């Protein structure tokens, strides 16, 4: 789905910026407002915040999205002493920077220096795969659409893997015999595991040119499907797809059993397929799942659909709470123009 040229044309057009601004200005759907603020990258965020500030339902949006968060220890985002601009800025921040995310790379992890090459390859694969799944949806969207400088989680991941490369090179110089083990690790990773895991070891051994083979090319499996979604030039379609993708990524972070499944390449492929746009409404066939641990795997895959339903119910609960809260405060949910 989608060619390299059409994807590049999509990135260069940035058609979504104008449509996102128009939707944020004119829609009465608070759900779409939340999705635009959460997932659509823009060149000038101050313009979007300015539109939020002028929305007549600003209090309602704050009540829905910021009811349990505080701007500071001293001052709630709903404090009457805050200006509309300050409230809109905080609302944008809350929607833009989802809670629960952490730096993708496990900085406490140190690669094994000696041992079974297969076990070391498994270890690299697990650490790298888990790090990739920890990247927020917005970062993937930003990087896919040409806003690389605004994707801190991906930039942090690339910085981390380069640090690991540098550390391993130093260890190879200190312990030449260790390099023999890692030559075998590289051979294993080359054909069986996550390409970014292979890139780390290959670059450590000096077997790969980073400029010709940059690490970003190794997460194209996540970036290209996003480009394909935006190639449709339908903002509503893109928002719907990204909302489901976001819930499924969150589900992987919450429920994937890394201890048991991290090196099961077949099962990981099923998970990757479930994250592709064409499969966001239909999960891949699971008839080939191994009989061992099958129930737990089926429960996890079923959670992809349950996660989206839970999110919808949570949104409805938040809206119900917000309307009740606004009523108690004597507000109608619409400010005086």
């Amino acid at each position: 789905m989608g060619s390299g040229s059409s994807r590049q044309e999509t990135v260069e057009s940035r058609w979504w910026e104008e449509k996102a601004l128009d939707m944020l200005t004119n829609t009465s759907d608070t759900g779409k407002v939340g999705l635009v603020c959460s997932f659509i990258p823009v060149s000038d965020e101050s313009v979007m915040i300015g539109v939020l500030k002028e929305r007549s339902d600003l209090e309602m949006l704050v009540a829905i999205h910021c009811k349990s968060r505080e701007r500071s220890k001293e001052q709630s985002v709903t404090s009457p002493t805050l200006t509309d601009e300050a409230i809109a800025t905080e609302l944008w921040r809350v929607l833009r920077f989802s809670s629960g995310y952490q730096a993708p790379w496990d900085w406490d992890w140190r690669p094994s220096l000696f041992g079974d090459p297969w076990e070391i390859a498994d270890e690299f694969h697990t650490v790298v795969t888990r790090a990739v799944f920890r990247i927020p949806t917005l970062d993937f969207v930003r990087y896919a659409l040409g806003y690389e400088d605004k994707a801190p989680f991906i930039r942090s991941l690339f910085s981390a893997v380069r640090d690991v490369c540098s550390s391993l090179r130093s260890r190879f110089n200190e312990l030449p015999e260790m390099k023999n083990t890692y030559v075998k690790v590289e051979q294993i990773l080359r054909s069986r595991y996550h390409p970014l895991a292979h890139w780390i070891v290959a670059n450590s051994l000096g077997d790969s040119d980073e400029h010709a083979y940059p690490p970003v090319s190794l997460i194209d499996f996540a970036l290209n499907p996003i480009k394909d979604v935006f190639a449709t030039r339908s903002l509503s379609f893109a928002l719907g797809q990204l909302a489901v993708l976001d819930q499924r990524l969150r589900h992987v972070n919450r429920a994937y059993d890394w201890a048991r499944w991290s090196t099961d390449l077949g099962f990981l492929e099923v998970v990757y397929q479930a994250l592709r746009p064409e499969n966001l409404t239909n999960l891949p066939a699971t008839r080939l799942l191994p009989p061992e641990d099958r129930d737990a795997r089926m429960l996890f895959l079923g959670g992809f659909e349950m996660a989206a339903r839970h999110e919808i119910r949570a949104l409805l609960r938040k809206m119900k709470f917000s309307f009740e809260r606004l009523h108690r405060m004597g507000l109608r949910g619409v400010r005086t123009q």
Side-chain angles (χ1 to χ4, degrees):
M1 179 180 179
S3 66
S5 59
S6 62
R7 288 169 180 157
Q8 186 58 33
E9 290 170 359
T10 296
V11 170
E12 292 174 353
S13 72
R14 295 200 170 182
W15 62 264
W16 53 86
E17 292 207 11
E18 182 178 349
K19 287 193 176 183
L21 183 61
D22 180 70
M23 181 176 286
L24 198 60
T25 302
N26 297 310
T27 186
S28 60
D29 188 332
T30 56
K32 286 185 176 180
V33 172
L35 293 176
V36 167
C37 295
S38 297
F39 300 128
I40 302 301
V42 293
S43 302
D44 188 352
E45 295 188 353
S46 66
V47 174
M48 307 295 276
I49 293 171
V51 172
L52 274 180
K53 180 186 70 174
E54 298 301 324
R55 284 189 62 94
S56 61
D57 57 356
L58 181 60
E59 285 95 342
M60 183 183 296
L61 290 166
V62 168
I64 292 172
H65 298 289
C66 306
K67 66 181 180 66
S68 62
R69 305 186 188 211
E70 292 187 349
R71 184 172 182 268
S72 69
K73 293 182 179 178
E74 296 81 18
Q75 199 171 42
S76 169
V77 69
T78 55
S79 170
T81 63
L82 290 180
T83 65
D84 284 349
E85 183 171 1
I87 293 172
T89 300
E90 182 66 4
L91 175 61
W92 176 266
R93 185 194 67 79
V94 168
L95 290 168
R96 211 67 171 165
F97 303 102
S98 301
S99 62
Y101 280 105
Q102 56 185 316
W105 191 258
D106 181 1
W107 289 96
D108 293 328
W109 176 74
R110 297 291 182 273
S112 299
L113 303 182
F114 298 98
D116 184 343
W118 287 95
E119 292 181 0
I120 296 175
D122 286 350
E123 186 181 342
F124 266 89
H125 175 75
T126 300
V127 171
V128 169
T129 305
R130 191 166 194 172
V132 170
F133 277 124
R134 282 177 173 171
I135 296 172
T137 304
L138 179 59
D139 254 46
F140 280 127
V141 177
R142 283 170 165 166
Y143 220 99
L145 299 182
Y147 303 79
E148 293 91 344
D149 59 328
K150 296 183 179 181
F153 290 88
I154 292 180
R155 290 164 65 90
S156 172
L157 174 61
F158 292 160
S159 176
V161 299
R162 290 187 178 101
D163 283 350
V164 173
C165 287
S166 177
S167 176
L168 283 174
R169 287 191 200 103
S170 297
R171 299 300 286 168
F172 293 156
N173 290 331
E174 297 169 3
L175 302 167
E177 65 274 22
M178 170 188 163
K179 192 169 184 177
N180 296 329
T181 299
Y182 269 78
V183 167
K184 296 178 182 178
V185 172
E186 185 274 333
Q187 293 170 350
I188 295 168
L189 289 172
R190 183 190 308 165
S191 59
R192 292 201 57 197
Y193 292 101
H194 198 293
L196 187 55
H198 172 259
W199 183 93
I200 296 172
V201 176
N203 271 270
S204 302
L205 293 168
D207 294 338
S208 177
D209 181 355
E210 178 177 340
H211 298 290
Y213 190 33
V216 66
S217 66
L218 306 174
I219 58 170
D220 278 347
F221 72 89
L223 304 182
N224 285 338
I226 291 173
K227 294 176 184 177
D228 292 340
V229 166
F230 278 83
T232 65
R233 294 183 178 263
S234 169
L235 185 60
S236 294
F237 175 75
L239 290 174
Q241 296 292 86
L242 292 176
V244 177
L245 173 62
D246 183 65
Q247 286 307 310
R248 292 190 171 180
L249 283 172
R250 289 174 182 271
H251 174 61
V252 172
N253 276 295
R254 287 193 300 263
Y256 195 82
D257 191 334
W258 294 99
R260 290 190 290 179
W261 305 333
S262 62
T263 57
D264 186 333
L265 304 186
F267 190 53
L268 270 172
E269 181 59 27
V270 172
V271 174
Y272 280 126
Q273 288 298 316
L275 296 175
R276 293 187 61 81
E278 59 266 33
N279 293 325
L280 291 181
T281 54
N282 298 294
L283 290 173
T286 56
R287 63 183 181 277
L288 299 180
L289 290 178
E292 65 274 11
D293 207 19
R294 184 182 180 86
D295 290 345
R297 294 168 191 253
M298 290 294 293
L299 183 63
F300 168 78
L301 292 174
F304 277 128
E305 297 301 334
M306 292 175 60
R309 291 198 295 270
H310 287 329
E311 180 66 12
I312 293 172
R313 287 197 291 268
L315 178 60
L316 292 174
R317 286 196 299 270
K318 288 168 68 175
M319 293 181 66
K320 179 176 182 293
F321 173 90
S322 302
F323 281 117
E324 292 173 349
R325 182 165 173 258
L326 291 170
H327 179 72
R328 289 196 300 270
M329 294 170 60
L331 299 174
R332 295 191 297 269
V334 178
R335 293 185 294 130
T336 302
Q337 298 294 324

